[in-house]
Amino acid sequence: MILTLALLVIVGSVCLVHSSYPPTLVMDMAKILAQNYCYPERLEGIIEAIEAARSNTDILNIPDPNAVAMALSAGMASTIGDSRLLITYEPDFIPKATPVLSSVPPEYLISIIKKSVQVEVLENNIGYFRIDHIIGEDIAEKIGPLLVENIWNKVLLTSAMILDLRHTASGELSGVPYIVSYFSNAEPPTCISTVYDRPSNTTVEFRSLPELLGKRYGVSKDLIILTSKNTRGVAEDVAYAMKNMKRATIVGERTAGGSLKIEKLRVGETGFYFTMPTASVRSPITGESWEVKGVTPCIEVDAGDALETAVKIINLRSTIPVIVQEASVLVAEKYAFTQIAEDVSQKLLDLLENGTYSMINSETELEARLSADLKELSGDKFILFIFLMVRASFQTDILENNVGLLRFDMFGDFEQVAPIAKIIVENVWNKVVNTTALVIDLRNNVGGYTSTISGFCSYFFDGNKQILLDTLYNRPSETLKEMWTLSRLTGERYGEKKGLIILTSAATMGAAEEFVYIMKKLGRATVIGEVTRGGCHPPETFRVADSDVYLSVPVTRSDALQDHGWEGVGISPHIPASADAALDTAKELLNEHFGGQK
Ligand SMILES: *[C@@H]1O[C@H](CO)[C@@H](O)[C@H](O)[C@H]1NC(C)=O
Ligand SMILES: *[C@@H]1O[C@H](CO)[C@@H](O)[C@H](O)[C@H]1NC(C)=O
Ligand SMILES: *[C@@H]1O[C@H](CO)[C@@H](O)[C@H](O)[C@H]1NC(C)=O
């Protein structure tokens, strides 16, 4: 309102007397706006303000009508906050006559429609249906049987569908319920979109249709809608509705953000035209519209890559039921926590049944979902690992008071470590073995293999006796395995008398936790840092149903003679400190210790 008034004043300063416009020009425009603009609520106060300012007719003194149009246009658009409002001066404008397709003979009509539609069955029985123009109810009713026979039936029996709306820039709103209904159930009828038409001041709900010609595609088969930045108008309504109904996955680019209905209205008998949206659409689910903003795809890819991406998603989804079923069997048969194995397995199947995995879009997402669900179902005693073959690497340093620092981020496999044990001893271990105390930094250690743990622990005990480190329960073999220190080691021992500090963080997990657990339990080390992650022993990996999906199941658990190990709960430090502060805390402790000795 303020903007409009300011504008009238500013342009008013270009003072040339010109009287070829009707004095009521601005008021006439305001009236057209009030009677046709689709968001009447946004006009509150504005019409009154224009009315009040009508004695200020300075704007009509501008001689160039195009400048008048531009000034008014900018003022209206910014005051009302809608860039679609446009005032133009076009004395020669002749409105286009809308073609009357419905009077064309059906055979000719179908040949036209066939050109704007493409149907195909792709590999793996995936239906491909491209529509470049969405036809309206009148035409659909006229040639319905021909459409069903010539187009729809060609893709009806496919096992998943790709609806390509990347080139759909035109169409009739009345066609939307038809498209949506073929991918919905007959009952219950659902509201697809609510359309408000300002000139008639009416609101119409578009609902799914209880009766259709031909057969429905139904709700259980996959549907992917392809979009591009050229997808415009009613095609956006189809995509937006099906996305919000969770019936389709949208793959491609954000759509154009067009409008449902834009009209160009003549202002009185002048050459000025006022273009504005006269109808608006809202989703009953979101209460919002795709107009102007566009539809955000579920998977954003270049339009050119959208088809390939969609095919990949459909092919992945088709493997998910078998993967989850086999995963469920593996959990029941192999999972170390016997009492809950059956329950976890059954609940996983329930999730599959209720559609939890039906909208998965990538292997990463499947893995993350499956991991999260297994973790939750098992009360945090289940970790699905992604095996990254990170080469174990070591860092060493000598701190004040001849304190050694040893950092490594992964426990290697015994099979791999044994042949290079001598190299590790010479290049890493010997740098710290003769220090007065040692800090082992496991803050970034994500685990790895447990086969080297008994050997590594052994370095911190004397060689004249054997010590029981842990008793492990293995589910597949139903056995208890005792883990003892080794009597023979490569290189020298650190021995059991010198100080040992282990640094942990919330990321410390798996095999690293097993090491921390043993050393803490045996009173051999002081643990400083955060409670560890609470992972599990390295799981065994099973291939699921000949697919590329591998399920990792923890089959071993620690300290089988007690009923609480570290799995799922982590290990508390002796001295809590944030991961960032843990090393400094250790240094302070060591300084106190060595300072006290002086
Ligand atoms: C539009 O219709 C509603 C009721 O359907 C009425 O309350 C409202 O006043 C009407 N608005 C106009 C501008 O006629
Ligand atoms: C399936 O069931 C789970 C657990 O009861 C629930 O959290 C989830 O929302 C359900 N999913 C669907 C799609 O109904
Ligand atoms: C450690 O110290 C001992 C005794 O002083 C010595 O025999 C040994 O060679 C040293 N080891 C290394 C790796 O420096």
Side-chain angles (χ1 to χ4, degrees):
M1 160 172 71
I2 292 155
L3 269 168
T4 311
L5 294 176
L7 188 90
L8 295 180
V9 176
I10 294 163
V11 295
S13 63
V14 190
C15 236
L16 267 170
V17 179
H18 191 279
S19 55
S20 66
Y21 311 121
T24 57
L25 182 68
V26 177
M27 251 343 272
D28 290 346
M29 287 177 182
K31 271 188 208 144
I32 291 177
L33 186 68
Q35 286 163 7
N36 295 281
Y37 182 53
C38 65
Y39 300 116
E41 65 278 6
R42 291 196 197 166
L43 300 179
E44 254 169 56
I46 288 176
I47 303 297
E48 289 78 356
I50 298 175
E51 173 104 54
R54 82 165 145 190
S55 57
N56 183 346
T57 52
D58 289 352
I59 193 164
L60 303 180
N61 293 334
I62 303 174
D64 177 6
N66 286 308
V68 170
M70 263 167 70
L72 287 172
S73 200
M76 292 283 185
S78 68
T79 307
I80 297 162
D82 191 331
S83 59
R84 296 173 292 178
L85 294 173
L86 182 68
I87 295 168
T88 49
Y89 182 71
E90 299 171 79
D92 303 326
F93 177 73
I94 299 163
K96 260 188 277 174
T98 40
V100 190
L101 266 182
S102 47
S103 61
V104 174
E107 298 71 33
Y108 183 58
L109 215 47
I110 189 85
S111 76
I112 295 175
I113 288 166
K114 270 177 144 176
K115 281 189 191 119
S116 72
V117 163
Q118 192 185 329
V119 279
E120 223 178 296
V121 177
L122 310 176
E123 221 177 303
N124 293 338
N125 199 29
I126 299 170
Y128 173 81
F129 191 0
R130 170 175 159 175
I131 304 176
D132 291 358
H133 173 87
I134 294 174
I135 57 165
E137 191 172 12
D138 49 344
I139 295 181
E141 292 198 335
K142 194 167 172 184
I143 56 165
L146 287 174
L147 290 176
V148 168
E149 189 191 314
N150 285 279
I151 297 167
W152 183 238
N153 284 349
K154 295 203 165 127
V155 281
L156 179 64
L157 295 178
T158 50
S159 41
M161 176 92 78
I162 294 171
L163 183 59
D164 189 351
L165 300 181
R166 286 177 295 178
H167 312 274
T168 325
S170 62
E172 301 295 324
L173 186 65
S174 63
V176 173
Y178 283 87
I179 298 183
V180 174
S181 299
Y182 276 100
F183 296 99
S184 310
N185 284 330
E187 295 293 336
T190 44
C191 180
I192 300 163
S193 13
T194 308
V195 174
Y196 171 67
D197 182 68
R198 176 62 193 90
S200 63
N201 191 31
T202 50
T203 301
V204 178
E205 282 195 346
F206 280 88
R207 302 181 147 266
S208 60
L209 308 166
E211 279 174 33
L212 287 174
L213 218 49
K215 289 209 169 70
R216 285 167 200 263
Y217 202 67
V219 295
S220 60
K221 294 192 273 186
D222 268 325
L223 172 64
I224 294 192
I225 296 179
L226 309 185
T227 57
S228 80
K229 56 182 185 297
N230 300 317
T231 304
R232 183 182 290 278
V234 296
E236 296 183 88
D237 202 47
V238 172
Y240 194 64
M242 296 226 249
K243 177 187 174 187
N244 290 317
M245 293 162 90
K246 300 210 167 12
R247 177 60 189 96
T249 302
I250 316 296
V251 175
E253 293 166 345
R254 175 190 287 271
T255 60
S259 301
L260 190 65
K261 195 173 171 196
I262 297 270
E263 281 186 88
K264 187 166 180 174
L265 303 158
R266 189 170 178 196
V267 183
E269 296 299 309
T270 69
F272 289 100
Y273 285 84
F274 201 159
T275 303
M276 69 185 73
T278 57
S280 64
V281 61
R282 234 179 254 281
S283 152
I285 297 169
T286 64
E288 292 188 4
S289 172
W290 46 264
E291 290 165 292
V292 185
K293 284 187 286 190
V295 182
T296 313
C298 309
I299 305 292
E300 208 156 351
V301 293
D302 283 346
D305 300 330
L307 178 58
E308 197 185 323
T309 306
V311 168
K312 260 191 214 154
I313 291 172
I314 289 172
N315 287 338
L316 170 71
R317 285 183 186 171
S318 71
T319 65
I320 290 177
V322 179
I323 287 169
V324 177
Q325 280 156 9
E326 276 214 17
S328 148
V329 171
L330 283 174
V331 168
E333 287 177 356
K334 315 271 188 188
Y335 186 37
F337 296 84
T338 338
Q339 303 92 321
I340 57 168
E342 191 60 44
D343 189 43
V344 172
S345 163
Q346 183 54 47
K347 283 185 176 149
L348 193 60
L349 283 183
D350 293 346
L351 288 181
L352 175 66
E353 277 310 305
N354 88 351
T356 296
Y357 304 111
S358 62
M359 298 285 259
I360 296 276
N361 295 320
S362 69
E363 284 184 2
T364 325
E365 194 185 333
L366 174 64
E367 185 180 288
R369 285 301 305 273
L370 216 48
S371 300
D373 289 341
L374 283 171
K375 202 156 148 35
E376 197 186 315
L377 294 178
S378 66
D380 268 356
K381 289 200 184 64
F382 208 119
I383 298 234
L384 199 65
F385 274 96
I386 316 158
F387 278 110
L388 292 174
M389 282 320 219
V390 183
R391 269 185 72 192
S393 63
F394 300 88
Q395 285 171 36
T396 57
D397 199 0
I398 303 293
L399 312 174
E400 240 182 295
N401 300 313
N402 192 30
V403 172
L405 177 68
L406 173 66
R407 171 184 163 175
F408 58 103
D409 297 346
M410 192 158 174
F411 279 85
D413 183 10
F414 182 77
E415 304 272 293
Q416 288 167 10
V417 171
I420 55 166
K422 208 162 158 266
I423 299 169
I424 296 173
V425 163
E426 280 167 11
N427 293 283
V428 181
W429 184 239
N430 282 350
K431 289 185 179 154
V432 292
V433 71
N434 271 345
T435 50
T436 47
L438 185 63
V439 177
I440 301 178
D441 184 357
L442 299 181
R443 286 175 296 177
N444 297 295
N445 196 303
V446 293
Y449 296 87
T450 44
S451 51
T452 44
I453 286 181
S454 50
F456 187 52
C457 287
S458 305
Y459 283 93
F460 302 101
F461 294 97
D462 292 341
N464 54 9
K465 58 181 182 285
Q466 274 202 306
I467 294 166
L468 179 62
L469 298 169
D470 197 3
T471 306
L472 304 177
Y473 168 65
N474 181 263
R475 170 89 195 275
S477 62
E478 292 279 340
T479 53
L480 287 177
K481 188 177 152 219
E482 294 185 336
M483 214 163 120
W484 291 84
T485 51
L486 309 182
S487 50
R488 288 179 53 200
L489 295 175
T490 308
E492 295 162 55
R493 286 171 192 263
Y494 202 73
E496 61 188 32
K497 299 200 179 57
K498 295 193 281 185
L500 185 62
I501 290 176
I502 300 174
L503 307 184
T504 58
S505 79
T508 305
M509 72 177 206
E513 292 184 284
E514 172 70 357
F515 175 70
V516 178
Y517 180 72
I518 291 170
M519 300 304 266
K520 185 184 173 193
K521 186 178 66 172
L522 296 177
R524 179 61 190 92
T526 303
V527 182
I528 299 178
E530 295 170 342
V531 178
T532 60
R533 169 78 174 263
C536 62
H537 272 264
E540 224 170 274
T541 304
F542 301 91
R543 186 169 188 181
V544 184
D546 271 341
S547 68
D548 286 338
V549 171
Y550 292 81
L551 183 71
S552 293
V553 183
V555 293
T556 300
R557 88 186 140 91
S558 195
D559 214 353
L561 305 179
Q562 312 278 322
D563 50 9
H564 49 82
W566 48 269
E567 292 101 330
V569 291
I571 302 145
S572 310
H574 291 107
I575 304 173
S578 72
D580 287 341
L583 181 57
D584 285 336
T585 307
K587 284 177 182 170
E588 274 167 33
L589 186 75
L590 289 160
N591 281 343
E592 264 172 43
H593 175 74
F594 288 107
Q597 276 187 349
K598 273 177 195 161

